Amino acid sequence: MKPLTLVAGQASLAQLAAVYRNETPARLDDACRPRVEAAAAQIAEAAAGSEPVYGVNTGFGKLASLKIAPGDTSRLQRNLILSHCCGVGAPMPRALVRLMMTLKLLSFGRGASGVRWDLIELLQEMLARGVVPVIPAQGSVGASGDLAPLAHMTAVMIGEGQAEVSGQVLSGAKALELAGLEPVKLGPKEGLACINGTQFSTAYGLAGLFDSWRAAVNALVISAASTDAIMGSTAPLRPEIHTLRGHRGQIEAAGTMRAILDGSEIRESHRDGDHRVQDPYCIRCQPQVTGAAMDVLRQAATTLVTEANAATDNPLVLTDPAAIVSGGNFHAEPVGFAADMIALALSEIGAIAQRRIALMVDPTLSFDLPPFLTPEPGLNSGLMIAEVTTAALMSENKHLANPCVTDSTPTSANQEDHVSMAAHGARRLGRMVENLNYILGIELLCAAQGIEFRAPLTTSPALQRAIARVRADIPPLTEDRFLAPELEQARGLVAGNALLGVVDVTMPELA
């Protein structure tokens, strides 16, 4: 696969999505090399001097006041990595590890970390040759950097730890050898530069963002289908309503749903003589809710793409004027806030989707659809318990949406006395997206079943194509059967591009 060349400080969401979705290997544009080497020279000079410089010739954290002899600086960095490999739990997915490694490249490319180009070259070659460190996903509090997970990444670079290569999990040294690479001997500050940063939290935040956006635009298709299934009104989608309010997401959500529903016979059949004055909010307010969630996701995207391009270790090497300065860019508070925002958006998209499911299975609200969307209610329970499952998942996501960033605790003998908790704040997004995709998948099955009950009236051409795609995998529910595998298939249709690829309607873009 042709590598993606990234300009340090200018990587785009589209480029980062390609790294995540396609595992595209990344390299830094060589234009950043002079800055990188100038900073490395400053660190080398400081290491040879007598003045204490944090992380270069001193201990770390609470031990920063202890001076390290010049001959021990390399051992100091190696000890730092080994002592910080304290992650626990299941390993990170390889796509996220590769995204994290790419983010570390971008941070180094800013020329403020003081690492040699050798370190950058090794990371690039690991990406190119498929050497993926095995990194436990738990253990970071998101301040003083994502220390434990980044230490596990760096351990492989020095020939320690474990990595996956060519489908095998090997020791770090063996993995590098199999890929034709050699471990690096860390120089002054280089271990600290590798682990002091927010790349673990940011990688999970970006992955959550990309998957959340896919769920949000799928929700526009599926909610349009639900609207037709219950013979809902399209009047609330009129552009004048949304222009008067002015929110971008709301305007785009309404416009997309209008395009998806265009040409529906079901809609035309009840324009006149419909005794209902207004639909419930879960139908009438879809643009206001899903559109608002889209706006929140875009706000989070702004934060995360900024963070992806940032220099976030400590101390930072300044070149004009020359200085090595301790600061706090490792504190992942911006990522924590972004993750909490994404969690809120996920929860709300799922909450309103679950109410549409409840509407469709309830014969008192569904405008003459059979109870639980089965042709023989009583003998069959239909989609009764599928709806209950969505209620469970909706409630779980509501609990998961509680903020993580407000839950600080002191660590490292009170030296690091306020932390962001961005790491698990971002990591929980994967579970929330999966829950939402199940909810939307079940809504999709309900909407398809409801629309088919409206025959001989037909839905719009766009939704006909979407339902045909569903029916290619999942037949109509004519009598009760074992549904669990079909719920998995429906989730897969939402998680992938199956629906978006067939409706042939332009969808809103994240950027």
Side-chain angles (χ1 to χ4, degrees):
M1 186 183 296
K2 184 179 179 181
L4 186 66
T5 299
L6 300 177
V7 176
Q10 298 178 34
S12 68
L13 283 172
Q15 290 174 318
L16 297 170
V19 172
Y20 171 58
R21 296 265 183 233
N22 309 324
E23 297 193 13
T24 306
R27 302 187 70 85
L28 289 176
D29 188 296
D30 282 342
C32 71
R33 185 164 183 167
R35 295 195 304 274
V36 169
E37 293 181 335
Q42 281 183 242
I43 290 294
E45 183 180 351
S50 57
E51 289 296 315
V53 179
Y54 175 69
V56 177
N57 53 14
T58 72
F60 307 104
K62 196 74 171 179
L63 305 176
S65 60
L66 299 179
K67 186 79 163 49
I68 306 299
D72 288 334
T73 55
S74 181
R75 183 180 169 200
L76 169 72
Q77 299 299 315
R78 181 180 177 83
N79 287 350
L80 173 71
I81 299 307
L82 297 177
S83 68
H84 282 52
C85 285
C86 292
V88 299
M92 293 174 67
R94 57 174 287 128
L96 279 160
V97 176
R98 291 177 62 86
L99 179 56
M100 184 179 80
M101 293 166 70
T102 302
L103 295 176
K104 181 53 76 174
L105 278 179
L106 284 168
S107 183
F108 285 164
R110 295 300 299 270
S113 298
V115 301
R116 293 164 298 152
W117 191 257
D118 291 356
L119 237 70
I120 290 173
E121 195 60 50
L122 179 56
L123 264 179
Q124 292 179 154
E125 288 304 317
M126 288 170 65
L127 286 168
R129 303 185 197 193
V131 179
V132 182
V134 176
I135 300 175
Q138 292 172 273
S140 173
V141 295
S144 208
D146 291 316
L147 297 171
L150 288 169
H152 282 275
M153 178 197 79
T154 311
V156 175
M157 299 172 69
I158 63 173
E160 300 287 348
Q162 290 185 310
E164 178 197 337
V165 62
S166 300
Q168 306 174 70
V169 175
L170 305 170
S171 70
K174 288 287 187 185
L176 291 175
E177 182 183 356
L178 188 61
L181 299 172
E182 294 184 0
V184 69
K185 183 177 181 180
L186 296 173
K189 190 188 176 289
E190 288 183 335
L192 185 61
C194 285
I195 69 173
N196 227 195
T198 66
Q199 287 76 35
F200 173 91
S201 298
T202 306
Y204 270 97
L206 285 166
L209 173 71
F210 297 141
D211 291 341
S212 298
W213 187 262
R214 180 172 286 182
V217 292
N218 269 280
L220 298 178
V221 177
I222 296 165
S223 61
S226 299
T227 300
D228 237 15
I230 63 101
M231 289 188 154
S233 174
T234 55
L237 301 178
R238 288 184 57 166
E240 299 91 339
I241 294 173
H242 308 287
T243 300
L244 281 168
R245 199 174 199 186
H247 292 296
R248 176 185 172 187
Q250 179 179 328
I251 292 167
E252 289 180 342
T256 302
M257 291 181 68
R258 284 196 308 274
I260 292 168
L261 285 161
D262 187 46
S264 169
E265 287 183 4
I266 296 173
R267 174 62 187 115
E268 295 307 316
S269 72
H270 62 95
R271 283 192 184 275
D272 299 319
D274 191 335
H275 67 272
R276 297 171 296 172
V277 178
Q278 291 181 328
D279 292 316
Y281 287 0
C282 66
I283 298 296
R284 193 174 2 139
C285 300
Q286 292 172 88
Q288 286 82 357
V289 176
T290 306
M294 289 161 54
D295 283 340
V296 167
L297 292 176
R298 283 176 171 140
Q299 291 169 34
T302 299
T303 296
L304 291 174
V305 76
T306 299
E307 190 73 5
N309 284 287
T312 57
D313 61 280
N314 178 63
L316 291 172
V317 183
L318 310 181
T319 55
D320 189 19
I324 300 172
V325 182
S326 287
N329 281 5
F330 52 73
H331 200 299
E333 193 85 355
V335 181
F337 277 123
D340 284 346
M341 291 164 65
I342 294 169
L344 290 171
L346 287 166
S347 181
E348 281 299 274
I349 294 169
I352 196 169
Q354 202 285 328
R355 298 316 306 153
R356 292 191 295 266
I357 295 166
L359 189 71
M360 286 185 280
V361 301
D362 187 342
T364 64
L365 299 172
S366 65
F367 202 54
D368 300 328
L369 291 175
F372 303 107
L373 298 167
T374 179
E376 292 187 81
L379 177 64
N380 294 288
S381 295
L383 290 161
M384 177 190 294
I385 304 305
E387 185 267 332
V388 174
T389 296
T390 66
L393 295 171
M394 173 190 68
S395 182
E396 185 176 315
N397 270 6
K398 286 180 178 179
H399 284 276
L400 288 170
N402 280 295
C404 294
V405 80
T406 55
D407 186 27
S408 177
T409 190
T411 63
S412 193
N414 282 297
Q415 175 75 5
E416 295 152 13
D417 58 352
H418 183 279
V419 297
S420 72
M421 298 301 181
H424 71 265
R427 191 164 48 81
R428 92 218 211 238
L429 298 177
R431 179 177 165 192
M432 294 186 71
V433 168
E434 185 170 75
N435 288 346
L436 176 56
N437 285 340
Y438 278 118
I439 294 170
L440 292 174
I442 292 169
E443 182 186 2
L444 176 62
L445 296 183
C446 292
Q449 193 87 349
I451 285 171
E452 288 164 344
F453 277 122
R454 302 298 183 188
L457 295 172
T458 60
T459 188
S460 68
L463 289 175
Q464 288 179 51
R465 292 190 293 273
I467 293 171
R469 179 63 188 86
V470 174
R471 294 301 177 224
D473 293 343
I474 306 168
L477 188 63
T478 56
E479 60 182 4
D480 284 352
R481 60 178 184 257
F482 188 60
L483 281 178
E486 296 177 9
L487 304 189
E488 290 292 339
Q489 288 176 297
R491 180 203 61 79
L493 291 173
V494 176
N497 270 321
L499 296 184
L500 304 182
V502 299
V503 293
D504 196 27
V505 170
T506 301
M507 293 292 162
E509 297 286 345
L510 175 59

